[in-house]
Amino acid sequence: MTDRARIVIIGGGVGGASVAYHLAELGERDVVLLERDELTSGSTFHSAGLVGQLRADPTLTRMNQYSVELYRTLPGWVECGGVKLACTPERMQEIRRQLDWARTFGLPLTEISPREAAELFPLMDPEGVVGACYLPTDGQIDPAQLCYALAAKAREAGVRVRTRTRVLGIEVREGRVRSVRTDQGEIECEIVVNCGGMFAPEIGRMAGVRIPIIPMSHQYVITEAFHEHTRLPTLRDPDLLVYYRQEVQGLVMGGYERRSSPWVDPVPADFNGKLLPEDHDRFTEISENAEIRVPAMGEAGIRSFVNGPEAFTPDNEFILGESEVAGFYVAAGFCAHGIAGAGGIGLVMAEWIVSGEPTWDLWHMDIRRFGRSYRSPGYTRKRVVENYETYYDIRYPGHERSAGRPLRTSPAYGWHAAHGASFGEKSGWERVNHYDLPGDESLRPHGWAGRHWSPSTGAEHLGTRASAGLFDESSFAKLEVTGPDAAELLEWVCDNRVARAVGAITYTQALNSRGGIECDFTVTRRGESEFMVVTGTAFGSHDLAWLRRQARERGADVRVADVTGQYACFALWGPNAREILRTLTDDPLDFPFMTSRELTVGDVPVLALRVTFVGELGWELYCSTEYGAGLWETLWRAGLPYELVAGGYKAIDSLRLEKGYRVWGADIGPETTPYQAGLGFCVRPDKEFLGRDALDPEPERRLRCIVLDDRRQVALGNEPVSVDGELAGRVTSGGYGYTVGRSIAYAYLPVGPGTKVGVDVFGTRVDGLVTDEPLFDPSGSRIRG
């Protein structure tokens, strides 16, 4: 056994083989791939092998497109195309939305009729089909053949592949991986890549890393030969929960049943190259549905019945990236679509390992997206089961999942529930979407945007603008950065100047080496060596990991801690906010915008931050959690004479759109720079900071505000934006501005204000105009009061 390697990959499935191959392509030769049994003996050998490219996530679509480009150079690839059926008008709407997405990626997806679908797949009965789409560049590949081909190429480039080598332990010292212990000896290393599939959680535990994956029993059948057709496209009928692909002169048929079966964790040590017992009762729903669409399935003989465990995650996205243990990377949780993504997974992981950060925006797949709640096996299991059983459901914007709720609640949760709150969930937190208030039903948007819409949002929005709104932001992530090197570290990490006077608040970005926006948050200086970072609910674990990594790499003497649960946070915003707060405190309220002060509100000690995310005068009021319920009640009672409204996150989103405030993960992210995003005012080029030298202050494309001519047509994200009939960009976020009375969208475009554009919303072209921003209160006078 080699006793030293720079990189050790654990897992000889298609993921591990792809990572090994792509590392070698980038010049990494000191690589060892370890497999406990034989290559493909985990989940790869029993995968169905369908390769579809279009996904809701833009980065995953690009990864799948790359996979197809790679597979075209390998044996076993069949570019047979793919058909997706719609059996309901709602599913047809989904397809038309996907047709718009496909344009933004250059994918040749076309809408076809039921008759055309039947011509492409003659075995199907088109009865009940209302429409379909066809992507000729989709296909299928033999998973085992793919794995062996990638492993062979890795070997040719110098990667060492060691089968029948079981990993027994991983040494972590001073927060970094140091070696891998196997039954064949120990390997000192700098980097470990966990490509263990359903074994990934067990491997993670060896390094002290929780990986939220549950193996799920997934079944399909392979029929005997019963037809003479060649090169049939893959076929998906999500309304019947089934999929098909050709297997010689038979078919592979499987699906996602409503009564799932999670398997065990840890996976038995001897489960190598094995399948689970056939569960015909649970497969009945799928087999009956399959016969509806392909009647010949009722008479076809079954050659093989495959019941194999597949590694699923709580949100049906891959788990990729570096964990909280330095040098310990994960590429697992492929959720039964890992064959389609395997090529792209290998590419992005290799780039991440070699460069220290990914080239593409991988937030939706980043292991850091999972907060502490996923350390619970029970919570993880509930979320995974719900995800599997709704795999083919239409994901309407604003849809809320129900499993494992409620888990994390604000001190004011009981008040919200008693006052008619409709809750949403993010990162385990129960958050108010809106309350049950009367509003203008005539503003309900057309199509999908109107499905989870409430007129209450408009009432909360307008009430905040007219008087004041009270919002519970306790879920916002709060990080403390303290220690002798805290100021120096944050000055290096942030593009804005943050080491200012005690009490100062700075809005800033943290950039990667390419100038992309890795984090977007406010920094409040609370002492000479004490700072508080406030970021979005879902981004706390990500930003915590980013700050700790920068501290580790610079050897900074700092402590970076997540203190989210220690503080409640209530935002009081609106033109009457000062008058309301003045009734509750004798402390002066004359401190300026973007500063902070300690106050006593009622009987509660608070830290008041003079900031806004809605474009109105006001404060975010932070108190220790035990005071939270009392503080909320105190603020609410004080506001009643002023017609204070309680508001939710839907109103916040509408209010922020009118002011042009950006949201990380939608409008901005690791692939966009502050200058592109219209955030150049934050950049201080006269100081040293990470990513400074990569910035171009005059980018060709900038984030632009678009107002649509039809205010009831609301863009949701990813819709194509055209200029003079040519594709120019895609929508990052959109919504309705109740004060300005306009449908608003944002997109990165190469044109400026005054340009007429077209936005494709569910196949309908909606005219719009690029405008100056912000649309509301451009002078900012309301913020300063």
Side-chain angles (χ1 to χ4, degrees), residues 92-429:
M92 199 62 222
Q93 274 195 317
E94 179 189 50
I95 282 179
R96 288 183 176 138
R97 179 164 168 76
Q98 291 171 338
L99 288 164
D100 291 340
W101 292 348
R103 282 189 57 211
T104 69
F105 302 117
L107 285 170
L109 184 69
T110 57
E111 181 176 340
I112 59 176
S113 67
R115 178 183 58 81
E116 290 171 313
E119 289 174 354
L120 288 165
F121 198 97
L123 297 172
M124 68 169 271
D125 179 356
E127 180 69 27
V129 178
V130 299
C133 61
Y134 174 58
L135 185 55
T137 54
D138 278 353
Q140 63 187 65
I141 194 167
D142 179 89
Q145 196 171 1
L146 171 63
C147 181
Y148 282 115
L150 292 171
K153 286 180 172 291
R155 277 195 183 101
E156 291 170 5
V159 173
R160 288 154 286 170
V161 178
R162 300 286 184 263
T163 58
R164 297 203 171 273
T165 304
R166 188 177 295 269
V167 173
L168 303 177
I170 298 171
E171 182 187 7
V172 176
R173 191 169 64 253
E174 297 178 344
R176 170 173 286 280
V177 292
R178 303 294 178 176
S179 66
V180 174
R181 182 167 53 87
T182 80
D183 58 358
Q184 305 295 318
E186 188 168 359
I187 309 174
E188 294 181 4
C189 60
E190 300 172 22
I191 292 170
V192 171
V193 190
N194 179 358
C195 297
M198 59 185 165
F199 299 98
E202 180 182 355
I203 296 167
R205 286 190 287 268
M206 295 178 186
V209 174
R210 168 71 180 161
I211 300 173
I213 284 173
I214 298 294
M216 298 292 291
S217 164
H218 183 69
Q219 301 185 113
Y220 65 84
V221 297
I222 304 173
T223 73
E224 300 284 2
F226 69 94
H227 65 83
E228 300 298 327
H229 301 289
T230 59
R231 296 186 70 85
L232 289 173
T234 62
L235 179 70
R236 291 176 174 86
D237 189 338
D239 293 308
L240 288 176
L241 311 178
V242 294
Y243 62 79
Y244 311 81
R245 74 162 173 84
Q246 185 164 1
E247 176 70 12
V248 195
Q249 300 311 128
L251 291 178
V252 168
M253 182 279 292
Y256 293 87
E257 67 279 10
R258 298 293 187 188
R259 185 171 60 88
S260 67
S261 177
W263 201 40
V264 295
D265 175 25
V267 177
D270 63 346
F271 196 83
N272 305 307
K274 295 181 179 180
L275 295 171
L276 300 174
E278 300 172 6
D279 190 343
H280 292 275
D281 287 344
R282 190 163 52 83
F283 200 63
T284 298
E285 177 184 21
I286 300 302
S287 59
E288 290 176 350
N289 287 355
E291 191 174 342
I292 292 172
R293 186 58 58 224
V294 179
M297 289 294 297
E299 302 297 330
I302 303 301
R303 193 179 84 205
S304 301
F305 192 110
V306 177
N307 184 4
E310 298 270 2
F312 273 78
T313 67
D315 58 6
N316 203 44
E317 297 284 2
F318 304 148
I319 296 180
L320 307 179
E322 189 175 19
S323 70
E324 65 266 32
V325 173
F328 187 80
Y329 288 79
V330 180
F334 291 174
C335 303
H337 56 271
I339 300 302
I345 289 167
L347 174 69
V348 300
M349 287 299 298
E351 290 178 341
W352 202 330
I353 292 164
V354 172
S355 302
E357 59 192 31
T359 303
W360 291 344
D361 180 0
L362 291 168
W363 164 240
H364 293 100
M365 293 166 257
D366 195 320
I367 188 173
R368 295 171 292 180
R369 73 188 185 274
F370 293 110
R372 292 174 59 85
S373 56
Y374 287 100
R375 294 188 180 184
S376 162
Y379 182 72
T380 301
R381 186 184 181 95
K382 293 171 189 173
R383 303 294 279 188
V384 169
V385 167
E386 181 185 41
N387 174 60
Y388 183 96
E389 293 178 351
T390 59
Y391 189 91
Y392 271 148
D393 284 5
I394 298 172
R395 305 291 184 183
Y396 293 112
H399 168 77
E400 298 289 348
R401 299 176 63 186
S402 60
R405 297 178 59 185
L407 181 64
R408 306 172 77 182
T409 59
S410 157
Y413 176 78
W415 189 98
H416 301 322
H419 287 76
S422 174
F423 291 99
E425 177 269 330
K426 182 169 283 189
S427 292
W429 280 96

Side-chain angles (χ1 to χ4, degrees), residues 413-492:
Y413 176 78
W415 189 98
H416 301 322
H419 287 76
S422 174
F423 291 99
E425 177 269 330
K426 182 169 283 189
S427 292
W429 280 96
E430 295 295 316
R431 312 195 316 168
V432 177
N433 280 337
H434 56 78
Y435 295 89
D436 185 15
L437 296 176
D440 187 353
E441 182 66 37
S442 70
L443 294 176
R444 181 178 293 275
H446 297 306
W448 278 19
R451 281 194 164 265
H452 293 292
W453 178 89
S454 170
S456 303
T457 299
E460 295 166 12
H461 174 126
L462 294 172
T464 301
R465 293 273 192 246
S467 178
L470 183 61
F471 301 88
D472 189 343
E473 295 183 333
S474 298
S475 68
F476 274 18
K478 310 159 196 86
L479 312 175
E480 283 184 349
V481 183
T482 57
D485 296 336
E488 180 183 351
L489 172 69
L490 287 171
E491 280 296 317
W492 165 251

